[in-house]
Amino acid sequence: MAHLIPQTMGQQFGRRSWAEPWKIKMVEPIRLVSPAEREKAIADAGYNTFLLRSADVYIDLLTDSGTSAMSDRQWAGIMLGDEAYAGSRNFYHLEETVQTYYGYRYLVPTHQGRGAEHLLSKALIKPGHYVPGNMYFTTTRLHQELAGGTFVDVIIDEAHDPANQHPFKGNVDLDKLESLIKRVGAENIPYVSLAGTVNMAGGQPVSMANVRALHALCDRYGVRIYLDATRMIENAFFIQEGEEGYADKSIADILKEFCGYTDGAWMSAKKDHLVNIGGWLAVNDEDVFESARNMVVVYEGLHTYGGMAGRDMEALAIGITEAVQDDHIRARVGQVRYLGELLTDWEIPIVQPVGGHAVFLDAKRIYSHVPQDRFPAQTLAAELYLDSGIRAMERGIVSAGRDPETGDHRYPALELVRLTIPRRVYTQAHMDVVAEAVKAVYDARDETRGLKMVYEPKYLRFFQARFERIS
Ligand code: P71
C-alpha cells in the first residue's frame, strides 16, 4: 500500500491552522468504562442521560452549562472573594463589568439563570398575559407559565426546519409578532422574550437588523423587550462574521449595540461567562429594578449576592472580560463548527447551519422509522452512550413536555440530540472521537426500536423521567 502523508486539518482545507488562545495548566483525568458497565449504567439510569453518574461518562457533552474551564486569572479571583454578607466588593466589580459590556443600568445578582427568570416573570407577568418569544426554552417558559402567562412562539418558520440554511434562524418573525399584538392588545404583552442565540433551535443567532426592526416595532406599540443573554456573546460572533457592516467591529461593540435595543436581560452566567455557577438580571427601568431587588431577598439572597458567594462574583466578573475577547469566541465557536463540519461531510443529518454552543443531531431523520412517541432523540442519546461513553442531551418530545390545557405530549417539529461543547475543556482529538462514535451509531441505526416512558415527573420531566427499551 502506498505510504499516506498525513495532513493537518488546515492543510486539508488549504489554509493555515489556528489554535485556542490558551494552554492547559491543570488536567482532570477521565476514563472510558467497559461496554458491560455502560450497559448497566444506562439501564440503571432509566435510559435518561441526566440520571447517569458522571464517573461513568467518558466525554461529557450533556451541556455547556457550568462545565467551562476557568482561567488562572479566574481562580486567582476566587481567592479575592469578599464574603461579607452585605456590600461585598466583588458585587461592585460585577456590577461595573455588566454595565461596561452590556450597558444596562441596574443589576440584580441571582444564583443562576432560572433565578433571574423567576424574578423577571414575577415582576412583569400577570395572569392572562401573553409572552411572545423566539422559540421556547424549558425553564424560561415554565417561569412565564407559573406567573400566569401563555408563551407564544414568534420565531421565523425556517427555525423549525433543521435543513434550512438561513444564517440567522433565531430571528423573530415580525409579522407573527404584530398579528399577536393586534389580536390580544399590547397591554396584555408584558414583554417580548428574545433569546440570542436560540438554544432549542440549534444555537441559532439573531441578526442585528432583526433586533433593530423588532425594537422599532415594539416601540410603536409600547411593548418592552427583555433579552435572554445567556449565549449573546456567541450571537455577537455570528453577527461579526456574517452580517454586513460588522466584520470590523469588536465582539464587545456588537454585544453592546445589540443590548441597546432591549430594555434589560437575564443571564445564566454558567454559559458565555466561563463560570461554574452564577447569573443575573439587569434592567434599565427603575420600577422593574425595584421590584426585582425586593424579591431577590425572598427567593435568592441579599441584593448584593443573590445566591452567589463573593468569590463566585469575582470569577464571574473576570470571566465576562475574557468571554468578550474576539480570539476566545472564534476558537470556541470554531471548535463546535469543526465537529459539525466532520458530521456534515459524512452526511449525518444535523441541524444546519451549525450553531454556537453545540452540534444537534437530527434524530427524526436518523431514526425515521421510530415514531415520535417512542422518543427517537432520547433513544439516540442512550445509544451514543452505549457505543462510546459519550453523554449527550435529548431536545425533543421529552423536553417539550405536555400541553398544560390538554395534557397531551407536545410534538415539537425538532427532535434533536444535543452534543454540547463545554468551553476550553476538550481538545480536537476528543471531537474526533465524538464524530466517530456518532458515525458508528448512525451506521447501526436500523437496529433501533425506541423507548417507552415508565416514569414521568410533573415539572421539567426530561430531568427525571425513566424509560425502558422496546425490543
Ligand atoms: C443548557 C441549560 C441548562 C439546562 C436547563 C434546563 C434543562 C436542561 C439544561 C439553561 C438556560 C438556557 C437559556 C437559553 C436560560 C437557562 C437557564 N440551559 N436560558 O442549555 O440555555 O439557566 O440553567 O442557569 O438556570 O444545558 P440556568
Side-chain angles (χ1 to χ4, degrees), residues 77-311:
I78 290 277
M79 297 307 295
L80 300 177
D82 169 6
E83 305 304 344
Y85 188 88
S88 161
R89 83 169 79 87
N90 312 120
F91 167 74
Y92 298 104
H93 183 195
L94 174 62
E95 182 183 51
E96 190 188 298
T97 310
V98 173
Q99 285 165 344
T100 301
Y101 290 106
Y102 289 81
Y104 303 115
R105 220 166 288 155
Y106 304 110
L107 182 80
V108 179
T110 61
H111 77 286
Q112 59 182 74
R114 68 198 74 179
E117 289 171 341
H118 180 207
L119 300 181
L120 185 71
S121 302
K122 262 203 148 65
L124 291 176
I125 301 170
K126 302 278 167 294
H129 275 173
Y130 293 86
V131 187
N134 54 345
M135 202 173 272
Y136 83 99
F137 185 71
T138 52
T139 57
T140 315
R141 181 177 64 191
L142 181 59
H143 279 297
Q144 291 163 352
E145 288 173 349
L146 289 173
T150 302
F151 176 83
V152 184
D153 188 4
V154 294
I155 201 165
I156 57 172
D157 288 339
E158 287 87 337
H160 296 285
D161 172 5
N164 191 294
Q165 289 282 357
H166 193 295
F168 292 100
K169 272 167 125 176
N171 282 355
V172 172
D173 183 325
L174 299 176
D175 292 335
K176 284 187 195 169
L177 176 60
E178 190 162 17
S179 55
L180 178 76
I181 298 174
K182 285 185 177 150
R183 185 161 63 80
V184 304
E187 66 285 1
N188 289 314
I189 300 181
Y191 58 93
V192 173
S193 180
L194 178 72
T197 59
V198 181
N199 193 352
M200 302 298 278
Q204 307 294 341
V206 178
S207 71
M208 193 72 88
N210 187 248
V211 72
R212 200 179 293 126
L214 175 68
H215 173 74
L217 176 72
C218 289
D219 222 29
R220 249 191 304 131
Y221 287 99
V223 172
R224 287 174 287 207
I225 304 168
Y226 281 91
L227 174 68
D228 183 340
T230 297
R231 297 185 184 82
M232 192 52 225
I233 300 174
E234 290 167 4
N235 197 115
F237 173 79
F238 287 100
I239 292 174
Q240 184 187 56
E241 185 187 57
E243 197 165 350
E244 200 166 333
Y246 289 92
D248 296 328
K249 296 231 163 79
S250 69
I251 292 296
D253 285 347
I254 295 169
L255 177 67
K256 193 119 171 224
E257 180 185 337
F258 195 105
C259 293
Y261 296 118
T262 69
D263 296 281
W266 70 92
M267 180 78 197
S268 170
K270 303 171 70 170
K271 283 81 166 176
D272 264 0
H273 289 168
L274 303 165
V275 286
N276 305 120
I277 193 72
W280 47 259
L281 174 66
V283 301
N284 288 331
D285 187 324
E286 200 174 340
D287 294 342
V288 180
F289 172 59
E290 279 298 325
S291 163
R293 193 171 77 142
N294 192 221
M295 274 188 293
V296 79
V297 300
V298 180
Y299 296 111
E300 302 277 317
L302 193 75
H303 56 275
T304 56
Y305 74 85
M308 284 180 281
R311 55 180 171 269

Side-chain angles (χ1 to χ4, degrees), residues 310-347:
R311 55 180 171 269
D312 298 334
M313 293 189 283
E314 191 60 27
L316 169 49
I318 297 166
I320 294 173
T321 59
E322 293 181 0
V324 297
Q325 301 304 318
D326 290 40
D327 55 356
H328 159 72
I329 202 71
R330 186 175 76 136
R332 190 284 185 280
V333 178
Q335 187 180 42
V336 176
R337 209 171 259 174
Y338 171 75
L339 175 61
E341 282 167 356
L342 287 177
L343 299 180
T344 304
D345 288 346
W346 299 346
E347 297 181 352

